[in-house]
Amino acid sequence: PPIDPMSVTFRSATGGMSPSGPVLSRRMSDLEGLFADTAAWQEARDGADPVVYEVASSPVPEAPGELPQSITTIHPGAVGGEFHMTKGHQHPNPQGEIYFGLSGTGGLLLFDGTTPKWIPMSPGVIGYIPPGWAHRSVNTGDEPYRFLAVYPGDAGHDYGWVLEHGMGWRVRRGAGEPQLVPFQSE
Ligand code: F6R
Ligand code: ZN
């Protein structure tokens, strides 16, 4: 059923939304196969198994014509030097998506299967994901990195594509700027 016009309040202290739809929590144990250093990932999983990121969704449904929104919070940290990140996905029904930086420092890694791109993200930055580009978010700072995502309700989410093709680069902690390392060199 269509939903009524509505406003949603962003809870800046927690990254939550009010009113809220589902809130999803991804722990280290949910992120098998993501990080290059498997031993470091296993150690983190078998230890505290920390929450790496959370996704709060607005009540707008994932249905054709609608524009669902979500706020992702990636907690700071790294696994074997590789920054905390989202799983990453493709939209099987290729359509654009908008990200808007809310707090903290991070980046948007995009991959079309040939060429990776990196968009540094901070509060106030709009990152645009064109149709057909897989995308992953990375926290490159030492506080929670938060952003709003707005996407077409019938875009769909394909997580297998990234597991198969990678994202072109890995994002590692460097002396200053984050290091973008070719995926194949791991
Ligand atoms: C929606 C979107 C974001 C991500 C979220 C978590 O299309 O791109 O809301 O879903 O940042 O990342 P994933 O879905 O890759 O675990
Ligand atoms: Zn997306």
Side-chain angles (χ1 to χ4, degrees):
I3 64 165
D4 286 332
M6 65 184 300
S7 74
V8 177
T9 302
F10 164 51
R11 302 287 180 206
S12 58
T14 59
M17 285 173 144
S18 177
S20 179
V23 180
L24 196 139
S25 188
R26 296 277 187 226
R27 290 186 175 273
M28 198 61 78
S29 50
D30 298 314
L31 305 180
E32 184 163 16
L34 251 69
F35 296 97
D37 189 336
T38 308
W41 171 76
Q42 279 171 352
E43 198 181 319
R45 178 200 61 185
D46 296 342
D49 193 19
V51 172
V52 177
Y53 64 98
E54 288 147 296
V55 187
S57 297
S58 83
V60 176
E62 291 192 342
E66 302 282 5
L67 283 174
Q69 310 111 47
S70 60
I71 292 173
T72 301
T73 300
I74 308 178
H75 297 286
V79 175
E82 194 174 358
F83 283 120
H84 281 183
M85 58 181 155
T86 60
K87 289 177 149 187
H89 59 265
Q90 271 283 20
H91 295 291
N93 178 4
Q95 297 181 77
E97 177 165 10
I98 290 165
Y99 280 14
F100 182 71
L102 296 171
S103 63
T105 317
L108 174 50
L109 179 60
L110 300 113
F111 190 47
D112 65 354
T114 308
T115 311
K117 304 260 186 206
W118 175 250
I119 298 177
M121 294 289 294
S122 54
V125 173
I126 297 171
Y128 180 60
I129 301 158
W133 287 76
H135 42 286
R136 161 177 287 164
S137 295
V138 185
N139 185 343
T140 57
D142 51 18
E143 55 181 301
Y145 163 52
R146 254 181 209 127
F147 62 94
L148 172 75
V150 184
Y151 57 98
D154 61 351
H157 291 85
D158 176 3
Y159 291 92
W161 191 93
V162 169
L163 290 176
E164 192 179 327
H165 297 90
M167 284 297 300
W169 283 328
R170 292 186 178 278
V171 188
R172 301 185 54 84
R173 186 173 268 153
E177 293 294 297
Q179 293 179 306
L180 301 170
V181 182
F183 199 86
Q184 291 83 354
S185 79
E186 297 286 345

